[in-house]
Amino acid sequence: GLVVGDPWAPVRRVCCVVDVVPETVAEAFDQRADLIVAHHPLLLRGVSSVAATTYKGRIVHELIKNDVALYVAHTNADVASPGVSDALAARLGLIDLRPLVPPAPGDPAAGQGRGIGRIGRLPTPMTLAELTAYAGRVLPPTAWGVRAAGEPDRLIRTVAVSGGAGDSYLADAERAGVDAYLTADLRHHPVSEHLAGGGPALLDAAHWATERPWLDDVAEHLRTRHSVETVVSDLDTDPWTVHAASAEPAVHPASPMPSPASPVDKESHR
């Protein structure tokens, strides 16, 4: 909801961002925005001070001094339909969407396609290797890119997606019977155990890249429904800034090493 600002102040231009960090706030000021709409909360947990001795406190002070409001839509945007995962599924071209984790019966969010994550079908099946390369092309570019876990030649027809950190929904993806699950912030041990247990293939993208597509939908909604100008930040706020692929080993660890007594063909090694 509204974090900083007067609810009755006029809004003419809105800047949509994933993260409220000094760089995106400066971008909003440069764009002369009256309101920042963000996905990630500036104050994710309770605080007892917003003194300007921390970067978050300084942001609060700068927003107030510059008369710029801040509105945050986090888990409510994750559950919404259309929401964060709808935009992510659209980037992959998934069709026939349904929630990965629907709200419990009686929950105020239940119904109308709302829920965490989305499950959809690829119009044309791909191998895991092809899907990984495709995801790397259609998602916003980051140093992290997209990595996958599973058999590269596995044929993928159905895909579950969840914007942001989604390892808590690994079991839901397995129960849904999908061929692959794309999310962010996956960790070694949960992934290893998931695959050993026969779960679907996994694709791990940068957190920012899985949530950035939603900003376009928010901006379009604000333009068409509320007649305000909108600006979408393409500033990559993913914290990982450098990526280096590992060099191919001369001998794969699973391959037998040549016998020390075996003669070496020097010509073949030149």
Side-chain angles (χ1 to χ4, degrees):
L2 190 64
V3 179
V4 172
D6 179 352
W8 311 114
V11 173
R12 301 174 184 84
R13 179 174 294 174
V14 180
C15 183
C16 302
V17 307
V18 173
D19 293 291
V20 186
V21 292
E23 294 81 2
T24 55
V25 171
E27 186 177 27
F29 292 166
D30 290 342
Q31 295 289 344
R32 299 185 181 278
D34 304 299
L35 169 66
I36 297 173
V37 172
H39 182 48
H40 289 152
L42 172 64
L43 307 174
L44 185 60
R45 295 175 176 83
V47 298
S48 58
S49 170
V50 288
T53 53
T54 66
Y55 88 87
K56 291 187 177 184
R58 286 192 294 274
I59 285 176
V60 171
H61 283 252
E62 290 170 2
L63 290 172
I64 294 172
K65 287 178 181 178
N66 287 274
D67 200 20
V68 176
L70 171 62
Y71 184 94
V72 172
H74 192 211
T75 52
N76 46 357
D78 290 328
V79 173
S81 178
V84 171
S85 290
D86 292 284
L88 176 57
R91 285 292 182 105
L92 296 175
L94 300 181
I95 57 177
D96 302 330
L97 299 182
R98 66 184 192 276
L100 172 62
V101 186
D107 188 297
Q112 300 182 10
R114 290 185 287 261
I116 291 291
R118 294 293 181 266
I119 295 172
R121 179 171 55 84
L122 288 168
T124 302
M126 303 181 189
T127 65
L128 177 60
E130 291 170 337
L131 178 60
T132 305
Y134 177 65
R137 292 193 301 271
V138 300
L139 291 180
T142 60
W144 180 272
V146 180
R147 60 182 181 176
E151 174 54 50
D153 294 330
R154 179 174 180 170
L155 193 62
I156 308 298
R157 295 182 175 87
T158 56
V159 181
V161 299
S162 183
D167 63 354
S168 58
Y169 306 115
L170 288 172
D172 297 287
E174 183 173 359
R175 281 193 294 269
V178 298
D179 299 314
Y181 174 41
L182 184 149
T183 188
D185 299 345
L186 293 176
R187 296 171 295 154
H188 176 92
H189 290 295
V191 168
S192 177
E193 293 170 6
H194 168 87
L195 293 177
L202 300 174
L203 291 90
D204 185 27
H207 193 122
W208 175 85
T210 65
E211 295 174 332
R212 161 60 184 83
W214 174 73
L215 300 184
D216 295 323
D217 292 351
V218 173
E220 176 65 20
H221 175 81
L222 293 173
R223 281 195 303 269
T224 57
R225 294 289 295 274
H226 301 286
S227 301
V228 296
E229 296 179 31
T230 57
V231 178
V232 174
S233 174
D234 274 317
L235 185 64
D236 178 2
T237 53
D238 194 72
W240 305 104
T241 57
V242 179
H243 172 84
S246 299
E248 290 291 332
V251 178
H252 191 278
S255 302
M257 296 292 290
S259 168
S262 301
V264 176
D265 181 355
K266 294 183 179 179
E267 289 295 324
S268 65
H269 286 75
R270 286 180 179 174

